[in-house]
Amino acid sequence: MTASDAAEPAQSPPPSAQGDGVLAGERVTFTGTLASLTHRQAGELVEQHGGTATLHVNQQTTLLVVGEEGWPLEEDGRPSVKLEDAHRLQQRGQNLRVLSEAEFLKALGLEDRGLESRELHTPAMLAQMLGLSVHEVRRWERAGLIKPARKLYRLSYFDVGEVARVRKLSELVAKGIPPAEIAASLARLRSVFPDVDRSLAQLEVLGSGEALVYRDERGLIESASGQRVFDFDESVPAEPEADTVPFLQHEALQRQRVGWTADDWLHEAANLTEAGELGEAEEALRMALVDRPTDPALHFHLAELLYRQNQLGGAIERYYVAVELDHQFLEAWTQLGCLLMESRRPGAAEEAFRVALDVHSDYPEAHFHLAELLEASGRTEEAAGHWRRYLEFDQRGPWAERARQRLAAGNVTE
């Protein structure tokens, strides 16, 4: 079933939030992932306000609510089945309204649960919540696909909804769905999501392959899918000289390397990292450091690469360099603490986490990892305080669930 959901909904106004019967007589269905609550919680809200929550759109449905975390698109890039069904019923004259999640919450007088107060998350928290890698989140930030809602001590905080929408678009493009078809679906959602233009711009970047395609010795590869991209305009590269430094044998590094800036090498390192060419990426970062040896961010990225190559000692040393160059580098302190824990140096790890919290007492990840360390050391009561602090910033991710489990295991209330 493939009808558009984005036709203008019926003109009757949203229900007004007056008393518990605001949804009296309404049969409400939800589609897409909700940003502010689960579908079960949303169904309970409907019942509390006098309505009936249903699973499917049918001739009795009067209201369809569209979740705002990610796009309500099917695997073929079309709008969700429920949106298609709703549009078809509207065309037949059924008085069925389509509201965004924010509009629905506003109608119930629950704006404080809406998007205006949506939690912001760090790259690591998003990776856990959305099933991404931290490297993917950072790559999207570098490419301009996602923009942090705020930055603090080099740490980016993101709106989870924006990242989830980019993830959905990236998945569709990686599956080979033509960007033009996805764009057509997004355009049909404009009546529900007025800010579609931002995602159309993101889709253009994804569809063009900008910052998402890398080159190996045989040609271009799309980094998300690993599939070969044919490049008929590119001439076959000459064989490198036998005495060429190994990392320069990689054609992507060999090309135009003379005169490259630190930013050029950093960009190349990012592409090589996505390609899985970690050794070559490491060498590219070292070339960037030749140009900017006191840049803490470059040392941070090099530490990450060393760790991914199982060079724990080297990674720890580079994180130390990063925090020496910038004492307020939150992510470097926290990553350093995690690696020190892994190397069985709990005292030094605890100190790193506490330095991070001295810099920014509201840093969720530092509270989470310090709680883990304290609990592993048998300091359960101290850990509980940090579990609770973490839950002030994250209520629904897997880390939040772990924090609740640990508090429950210790018979400590939130």
Side-chain angles (χ1 to χ4, degrees):
M1 294 177 283
T2 56
S4 169
D5 66 290
E8 290 297 323
Q11 295 302 308
S12 56
S16 59
Q18 297 178 354
D20 290 343
V22 64
L23 294 179
E26 299 275 15
R27 294 182 64 84
V28 185
T29 303
F30 297 88
T31 188
T33 302
L34 299 168
S36 57
L37 66 172
T38 66
H39 277 227
R40 179 183 60 79
Q41 292 169 332
E44 291 172 354
L45 269 180
V46 170
E47 303 290 337
Q48 291 167 11
H49 288 78
T52 301
T54 63
L55 295 177
H56 305 288
V57 172
N58 54 41
Q59 292 182 351
Q60 286 74 47
T61 303
T62 61
L63 178 61
L64 177 65
V65 178
V66 183
E68 299 200 17
E69 183 174 306
W71 288 109
L73 301 176
E74 300 290 350
E75 296 304 307
D76 61 359
R78 294 179 178 273
S80 74
V81 171
K82 292 178 182 178
L83 277 165
E84 303 278 33
D85 290 346
H87 175 66
R88 188 175 62 256
L89 291 169
Q90 286 177 333
Q91 289 181 321
R92 293 177 181 175
Q94 182 167 325
N95 187 19
L96 189 161
R97 291 169 291 113
V98 178
L99 299 181
S100 68
E101 179 182 350
E103 292 171 327
F104 171 72
L105 293 172
K106 183 177 181 180
L108 299 183
L110 298 173
E111 291 94 334
D112 60 334
R113 293 187 63 167
L115 303 183
E116 294 80 3
S117 62
R118 182 188 291 180
E119 299 168 345
L120 299 178
H121 294 82
T122 67
M125 294 166 71
L126 285 171
Q128 291 288 324
M129 183 178 299
L130 299 176
L132 295 165
S133 71
V134 176
H135 311 289
E136 187 81 346
V137 176
R138 290 182 180 139
R139 179 171 68 99
W140 287 348
E141 181 181 9
R142 286 194 301 271
L145 286 166
I146 56 176
K147 296 179 180 179
R150 66 182 176 117
K151 288 192 74 121
L152 192 65
Y153 304 114
R154 295 183 181 269
L155 177 65
S156 297
Y157 283 86
F158 296 96
D159 179 330
V160 65
E162 181 183 30
V163 180
R165 288 191 287 273
V166 172
R167 179 188 62 173
K168 183 65 176 181
L169 297 179
S170 178
E171 289 172 348
L172 293 173
V173 170
K175 289 177 180 177
I177 307 298
E181 292 184 12
I182 305 171
S185 294
L186 293 178
R188 290 158 61 188
L189 296 172
R190 195 181 298 277
S191 66
V192 183
F193 300 111
D195 59 346
V196 160
D197 288 342
R198 167 71 175 146
S199 288
L200 288 173
Q202 293 165 332
L203 178 62
E204 185 176 354
V205 174
L206 288 165
S208 69
E210 180 180 334
L212 303 177
V213 175
Y214 66 88
R215 180 182 299 280
D216 67 4
E217 65 278 3
R218 291 180 294 163
L220 298 174
I221 296 176
E222 203 283 317
S223 61
S225 65
Q227 295 180 347
R228 183 71 55 186
V229 177
F230 292 103
D231 185 7
F232 296 104
D233 296 328
E234 198 63 54
S235 60
V236 178
E239 289 294 324
E241 297 180 7
D243 59 351
T244 303
V245 179
F247 79 90
L248 292 179
Q249 290 178 351
H250 193 290
E251 193 259 356
L253 288 180
Q254 188 182 32
R255 181 184 297 272
Q256 297 180 354
R257 66 186 183 275
V258 176
W260 272 16
T261 67
D263 288 333
D264 293 329
W265 285 111
L266 177 60
H267 181 76
E268 191 63 38
N271 287 341
L272 289 165
T273 299
E274 292 306 314
E277 303 284 351
L278 301 186
E280 288 83 352
E282 175 190 339
E283 296 299 339
L285 272 176
R286 292 187 186 279
M287 291 298 292
L289 281 165
V290 170
D291 190 37
R292 290 210 303 257
T294 59
D295 185 336
L298 292 178
H299 290 279
F300 178 87
H301 293 311
L302 180 54
E304 287 189 311
L305 274 175
L306 291 172
Y307 179 73
R308 292 179 67 179
Q309 296 176 86
N310 299 313
Q311 299 181 43
L312 183 60
I316 289 173
E317 182 58 30
R318 287 293 171 171
Y319 281 128
Y320 269 123
V321 174
V323 296
E324 287 166 2
L325 292 169
D326 181 358
H327 183 74
Q328 296 183 325
F329 200 154
L330 283 174
E331 283 192 285
W333 278 116
T334 305
Q335 290 297 98
L336 175 61
C338 290
L339 268 61
L340 289 169
M341 285 178 62
E342 188 171 331
S343 63
R344 300 184 180 181
R345 297 162 63 184
E350 180 177 347
E351 182 178 355
F353 294 138
R354 293 196 183 278
V355 170
L357 290 173
D358 285 341
V359 172
H360 180 39
S361 61
D362 289 340
Y363 185 23
E365 289 169 45
H367 283 290
F368 182 90
H369 293 303
L370 180 55
E372 285 191 316
L373 184 152
L374 293 170
E375 187 158 299
S377 303
R379 297 153 66 182
T380 306
E381 286 300 318
E382 288 183 71
H386 292 284
W387 292 128
R388 284 193 291 265
R389 284 287 283 147
Y390 181 79
L391 288 170
E392 293 178 16
F393 308 104
D394 180 16
Q395 290 293 317
R396 59 195 180 93
W399 281 358
E401 183 58 31
R402 173 163 173 76
R404 279 190 284 268
Q405 290 173 353
R406 299 318 304 161
L407 287 170
N411 296 316
V412 180
T413 62
E414 294 184 29

